Amino acid sequence: MTQPTRPTPELLAELRKPRPYPAVSVTLPTHRHWPESQQDDIRLRNLLTEAEKRLADDPEVSKAQAAAVTQHLTAAADALDPEYFGDGLIVYASPEEHRSFLVGGSVPERIVINTTYLTRNLVALEARERPYLVLVLSTGEVRLWRGQGDQVAEDQKSGFPVISSGAERDKAPSRDGGQWTTQDFRNMLMEADRKLTAVLQASPLPVILVGLSKHISIYREVTHHGQALAAELEVGGLANTTPAEMSAQLAPARRALAEADTERGMRGLDEARSGKRYSAGVQDVWQAAGEGRVALLVVEESLRVTARPDTVEGAERATLTLLEPEEAGVPGAEEDIIDSLVETVLSADGEVIFVPDDSLADAHRVAAALRY
C-alpha cells in the first residue's frame, strides 16, 4: 500500500501497534528536484538490498519470513515514482504488508528491524505540519482554505465563499481602506464568522487570518473565535489565486504556527516545573513514560540516543543503560531509544512536541510535563 500523503492520527496509532518480528522500517532522505533526484531510486534500492541482507543474516528470522518481507519491500519500491519523491521517504514492511510515505521533512538514512514500525519521523511530520484553516478577507468576499504543511486547497463546501450583499464590493477600495468600515462589510465578516463556527466545531484547527491590515482589524472586532486565530498574514489580492500561489504566500504564517507550537511546548514545561511535575533527561523521562505519567513530551528534533532498556523488579523497562552509537548491536539495545519513548508517550494518550535543536540545552535535549 503506497501512501504518498500525510498519515492521519488514526493511521499513526495503527502503525504504532506491536507486530510479530520482523517489522522493518526504512527511512531515506530524498530530493524534490532534478538533477539531485536522479540517484534517489538507486539509493533506495541499495538500502532495501541492505535490509534484505540483514534479514537473511538474522537468526530470529526464518527464510520464509525474510522472503515475504523482501517481497513487500520490493513491491513498495516498485509502487513509488522517483520523479515525485519529496524531502524524505519512509517504507514499512512485514511478512503481511507494506506501506510507503513521501514526507515533506528531512529524515535520516536508517534501517530498523523490530517488533514495531519506526513512526517517530511521521509523528514529527504530523506535529510540524498539523492541519490549519486559512480565512482570506477581501473587499467583497471571504474565502476559506484548508492546509496541511505546504499543501492547500480551497474549501467551497462549508458555506464559503461568503459574498458581500452590497454594491460596494464592485467599487475600487480607497487607499486607506475606508469603504471597508461600512456596515455591509461588517455584516459580511459576521456571516463568515458564523459559518466558521460550524467548521471549528467539526475540526478545532488553528486559523490563519489573511487580508489587508484594515480587514484583519475589523474582523478581530466582530469575531467570536479570537482564540483560534493563530497567525496573521497582511497581504491583499488573494481572493482569486492558485493553490501554489497561496501556499507560497502562506510560508511565513506556517513558520509562525511552528514557532507557536514550540512556544506552547516550552510554556508547558515551565508550568510543569513550577508545579513540580517536571522531568528532564532521557533516563528520568523514560522511567516516567513507562509509568504512564508523561502528559507532554518535548524533544529536540535531531536527538538520538542508543540505549538498552533494562528490567528491574516490579518495574519492567523502567531504566536505561546508555550506550555509544557503535554499541547498537549489543543484545537488547535499541539504536534510538527516543523512537520507543515517543511511541510510549503517545500510546498513553500523551502529547509529543518536537522543537528545534538547542531549545532544551538545560534539560539534556528532552523533557516532560508529568501528570503527577
Side-chain angles (χ1 to χ4, degrees), residues 67-145:
V69 175
T70 297
Q71 184 176 5
H72 278 293
L73 288 172
T74 301
D78 291 343
L80 294 167
D81 187 343
E83 292 189 11
Y84 296 97
F85 281 177
D87 298 313
L89 173 63
I90 301 173
V91 176
Y92 299 130
S94 70
E96 294 79 27
E97 64 174 356
H98 66 267
R99 303 174 187 264
S100 301
F101 296 88
L102 309 180
V103 300
S106 178
V107 299
E109 183 172 315
R110 298 179 67 188
I111 300 171
V112 177
I113 304 175
N114 209 323
T115 56
T116 59
Y117 290 140
L118 171 63
T119 59
R120 171 197 180 152
N121 299 110
L122 288 180
V123 171
L125 176 71
E126 195 270 341
R128 275 198 310 269
E129 301 190 348
R130 62 189 177 115
Y132 55 89
L133 300 171
V134 184
L135 203 62
V136 182
L137 314 177
S138 61
T139 309
E141 62 185 20
V142 179
R143 292 183 176 270
L144 179 69
W145 291 65

Side-chain angles (χ1 to χ4, degrees), residues 112-188:
V112 177
I113 304 175
N114 209 323
T115 56
T116 59
Y117 290 140
L118 171 63
T119 59
R120 171 197 180 152
N121 299 110
L122 288 180
V123 171
L125 176 71
E126 195 270 341
R128 275 198 310 269
E129 301 190 348
R130 62 189 177 115
Y132 55 89
L133 300 171
V134 184
L135 203 62
V136 182
L137 314 177
S138 61
T139 309
E141 62 185 20
V142 179
R143 292 183 176 270
L144 179 69
W145 291 65
R146 293 180 181 268
Q148 186 169 10
D150 59 3
Q151 302 298 308
V152 295
E154 187 172 357
D155 182 344
Q156 296 183 331
K157 298 181 180 179
S158 302
F160 289 86
V162 176
I163 308 297
S164 169
S165 62
E168 67 183 42
R169 66 176 179 269
D170 298 320
K171 298 179 181 178
S174 60
R175 177 167 295 184
D176 66 359
Q179 76 173 75
W180 296 317
T181 64
T182 64
Q183 190 58 46
D184 184 73
F185 182 70
R186 286 176 176 270
N187 289 343
M188 179 185 71

